[in-house]
């Protein structure tokens, strides 16, 4: 009777460890998903702002076609992005293009003092900040999750259960944390 | 047999080390709130009477709506962006109600000459970014440029306050006479009961693993400080998504 007790106890304990490890992976993975949703939310929010912004600027500076084209291309790239890194790069391009669009106002005093434009500037800055925050939250969630996936003893069975490392939301090399849109 | 049990226990102890909770590295260290919670005047710009007024009004607002408006002045941002700093501080302090996320942080860094209104998720409709920007343009910046700090903060605070009150359909706030001890006692009682149950289970089944974890967290929390004064307030656990507006002067 006593001889069988120890191996059985061992199996039970290992079973519980496996279960809690798996649950922890699930929780962390869902957290990453949730944070990614938030990133996409904020990207969408900015996308909704852009038409209004473009129209306002065109009202005063329609001839600056180069900037409008750059922005349109960047938006198309974001729409076509499938992976996290593609999204990160497209996001970077949009931020740069928007920065140039806002910079145009420097040459057009009427635009610069237009109340609608000023309000849009604030909204845009706020949205860029939200994207930055959502990105920070997402990367933090990915860090927790990746740490779990790579740590022992979960590393032994994470792959078998379908859990693999997830991508960080990172800007291109040499671009830091996204261009800070300063006004 | 004894040797087997010994080896098994050692194995379990080693395994339990793998369950150490790994926390992500916090990027920015921000100060802890003081006992009033609603005003932290590190840069010494606000007069005592204004400070007390703001605290009392914020307390009254909190009791009626759960919303929290906090004012912080700093000497400098320690090299950080005001946006990142604000988000970190806002979340650390838990400004606003946990469910409603109705917090607002008005923060100024004297040496950096930057000021920001950070708005919690729940109040982004009441105070969109452009409105936050306008409030800073109309009430904060002109007074800061004149060096009228008290006026700057009072007017900005009131502008934010009126928007929050409008959001909740309030015309006025009833004052707060009694101290806050009642508000804080009830939750603590249940927390203690729960803790005792948890600790006894923990001691019986897990050899005190949870107790170990608790002691470590309590040690860290005790440096956050609580005062014996009559006005001990705390954050409601609200969060921000990065909404709001900043200005330089």
């Amino acid at each position: 009777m006593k001889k069988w007790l120890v191996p059985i106890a061992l199996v039970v304990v290992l079973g519980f460890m496996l279960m809690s490890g798996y649950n922890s992976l699930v929780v962390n993975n869902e957290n990453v998903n949730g944070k990614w949703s938030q990133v996409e939310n904020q990207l969408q929010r900015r996308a909704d702002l852009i038409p209004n912004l473009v129209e306002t600027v065109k009202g005063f500076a329609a001839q600056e076609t180069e900037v409008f084209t750059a922005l349109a291309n960047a938006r198309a790239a974001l729409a076509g992005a499938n992976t996290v890194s593609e999204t990160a790069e497209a996001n970077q391009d949009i931020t740069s293009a928007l920065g140039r669009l806002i910079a145009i106002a420097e040459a057009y005093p009427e635009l610069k003092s237009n109340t609608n434009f000023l309000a849009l500037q604030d909204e845009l800055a706020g949205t860029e900040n939200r994207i930055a925050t959502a990105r920070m939250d997402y990367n933090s969630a990915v860090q927790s999750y990746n740490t779990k996936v790579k740590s022992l003893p979960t590393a032994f069975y994470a792959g078998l259960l379908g859990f693999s490392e997830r991508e960080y939301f990172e800007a291109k090399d040499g671009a830091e944390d996204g261009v800070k849109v300063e006004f | 047999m004894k040797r087997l049990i010994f080896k098994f226990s050692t194995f379990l102890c080693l395994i339990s080390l793998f369950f150490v909770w790994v926390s992500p590295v916090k990027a920015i260290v921000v100060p802890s709130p003081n006992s009033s919670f609603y005003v932290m005047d590190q840069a010494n710009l606000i007069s005592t009477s204004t400070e007390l007024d703001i605290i009392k009004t914020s307390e009254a607002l909190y009791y009626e709506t759960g919303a929290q408006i906090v004012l912080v002045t700093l000497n400098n941002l320690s090299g950080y962006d005001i946006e990142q700093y604000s988000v970190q501080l806002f979340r650390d302090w838990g400004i606003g109600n946990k469910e409603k996320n109705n917090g607002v942080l008005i923060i100024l860094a004297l040496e950096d000459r930057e000021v920001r209104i950070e708005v919690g998720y729940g109040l982004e409709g009441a105070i969109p970014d452009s409105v936050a920007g306008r409030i800073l343009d109309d009430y904060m910046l002109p007074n800061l440029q004149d060096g009228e700090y008290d006026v700057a903060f009072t007017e900005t605070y009131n502008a934010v306050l009126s928007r929050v009150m409008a959001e909740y359909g309030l015309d006025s706030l009833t004052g707060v006479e009694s101290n806050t001890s009642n508000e804080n006692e009830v939750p603590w009682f249940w927390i203690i009961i729960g803790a005792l149950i948890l600790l006894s289970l923990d001691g019986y089944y897990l050899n005190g693993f949870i107790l170990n974890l608790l002691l470590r967290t309590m040690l860290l929390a005790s440096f956050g400080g609580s005062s014996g004064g009559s006005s001990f307030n705390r954050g409601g656990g609200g969060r921000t998504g990065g909404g709001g507006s900043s200005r330089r002067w």
Side-chain angles (χ1 to χ4, degrees):
Chain A
M1 170 80 165
K2 280 184 187 173
K3 253 195 289 189
W4 297 111
L5 203 61
V6 171
I8 284 177
L10 199 65
V11 167
V12 168
V13 166
L14 286 175
F16 273 113
M17 275 170 47
L18 191 77
M19 198 166 68
S20 91
Y22 175 76
N23 286 343
S24 161
L25 283 172
V26 168
V27 165
N28 274 289
N29 195 43
E30 283 310 309
N31 188 32
V32 173
N33 288 340
K35 296 296 189 287
W36 180 252
S37 283
Q38 186 64 331
V39 170
E40 293 195 314
N41 258 352
Q42 304 304 355
L43 289 173
Q44 185 57 49
R45 186 203 175 105
R46 182 179 59 186
D48 293 341
L49 274 179
I50 289 177
N52 197 353
L53 188 61
V54 168
E55 283 317 300
T56 307
V57 175
K58 271 189 179 165
F60 295 87
Q63 62 272 33
E64 304 277 357
T65 51
E66 198 191 298
V67 185
F68 297 125
T69 313
L71 185 57
N73 290 338
R75 292 182 72 194
L78 184 67
N82 285 319
T83 66
V84 173
S85 56
E86 281 174 13
T87 310
E89 274 196 32
N91 175 52
Q92 181 69 348
D93 290 337
I94 291 188
T95 305
S96 311
L98 283 171
R100 285 168 62 194
L101 188 71
I102 300 289
I104 285 178
E106 290 301 311
Y108 298 87
E110 274 177 19
L111 174 61
K112 204 171 163 183
S113 55
N114 177 270
T115 41
N116 194 30
F117 183 71
L118 289 169
L120 284 169
Q121 265 190 352
D122 269 332
E123 288 292 332
L124 182 65
T127 307
E128 287 285 352
N129 193 38
R130 282 187 185 81
I131 292 173
T133 308
R135 217 175 79 197
M136 176 184 84
D137 289 341
Y138 170 77
N139 283 338
S140 174
V142 170
Q143 185 189 11
S144 290
Y145 171 77
N146 282 352
T147 310
K148 265 258 134 45
V149 164
K150 294 200 267 191
S151 294
L152 297 175
T154 6
F156 289 134
Y157 52 83
L160 291 169
L161 295 169
F163 290 103
S164 52
E165 257 185 87
R166 294 188 67 159
E167 265 188 288
Y168 285 103
F169 192 114
E170 270 162 348
K172 286 189 276 222
D173 286 341
E176 260 289 83
D177 258 17
V179 175
K180 185 169 173 200
V181 190
E182 296 234 61
F183 301 117
Chain B
M1 184 59 181
K2 275 188 194 168
R3 226 180 291 163
L4 197 64
I5 290 177
F6 175 67
K7 281 188 193 168
F8 186 55
S9 320
T10 328
F11 175 70
L12 273 182
C13 285
L14 287 172
I15 292 295
S16 74
L17 288 175
F18 290 130
F19 293 119
V20 169
W21 174 59
V22 178
S23 64
V25 176
K26 196 157 73 172
I28 302 176
V29 178
V30 298
S32 299
N34 56 27
S35 62
S36 80
F37 185 73
Y38 294 108
V39 178
M40 178 178 272
D41 186 20
Q42 199 191 77
N44 245 314
L45 299 170
I46 316 175
S47 70
T48 319
S49 58
T50 305
E51 199 171 318
L52 288 173
D53 276 343
I54 291 180
I55 293 171
K56 268 180 54 189
T57 315
S58 282
E59 284 177 346
L61 181 70
Y62 174 69
Y63 286 122
E64 291 219 33
T65 64
Q68 295 184 309
I69 305 177
V70 173
L71 179 55
V72 172
T73 71
L74 304 165
N75 288 316
N76 61 61
L77 293 163
S78 311
Y80 295 112
D81 286 335
I82 196 168
E83 287 83 17
Q84 289 179 313
Y85 197 98
S86 303
V87 169
Q88 187 72 57
L89 191 143
F90 195 110
R91 288 176 172 184
D92 268 11
W93 291 24
I95 302 177
N97 174 272
K98 190 169 183 176
E99 262 84 59
K100 297 191 247 178
N101 282 311
N102 47 7
V104 181
L105 170 68
I106 305 170
I107 182 166
L108 178 143
L110 188 59
E111 287 164 30
D112 303 82
R113 294 177 75 90
E114 284 192 71
V115 63
R116 180 173 176 82
I117 296 179
E118 180 79 29
V119 182
Y121 285 116
L123 285 172
E124 285 184 359
I127 309 179
D129 304 335
S130 48
V131 168
R134 233 174 33 225
I135 291 178
L136 288 173
D137 285 335
D138 293 343
Y139 301 110
M140 184 67 89
L141 258 47
N143 290 308
L144 287 180
Q145 273 145 5
D146 291 339
E148 295 276 359
Y149 295 108
D150 252 15
V151 179
F153 292 124
T154 311
E155 289 189 354
T156 306
Y157 178 86
N158 286 334
V160 170
L161 178 69
S162 63
R163 289 233 146 218
V164 176
M165 282 170 66
E167 173 79 358
Y168 291 106
L170 297 172
D171 282 324
S172 61
L173 295 170
T174 51
V176 180
E177 265 85 57
S178 58
N179 69 19
T180 65
S181 59
N182 271 343
E183 197 69 32
N184 290 320
E185 266 176 43
V186 175
W188 274 114
F189 176 68
W190 292 112
I191 288 175
I192 289 171
I193 295 285
L196 284 171
I197 295 175
L198 189 72
L199 285 173
S200 46
L201 285 172
D202 167 54
Y204 191 63
Y205 290 110
L206 296 168
N207 287 322
F209 170 71
I210 292 183
L211 182 65
N212 185 24
L213 207 61
L214 264 178
L215 284 172
R216 268 187 286 160
T217 15
M218 281 203 291
L219 208 63
L220 290 168
S222 67
F223 290 114
S226 61
S227 115
S230 62
S231 183
F232 175 61
N233 297 311
R234 55 198 313 158
R239 280 171 66 84
T240 177
S245 204
S246 322
R247 290 288 189 269
R248 295 172 184 272
W249 84 91

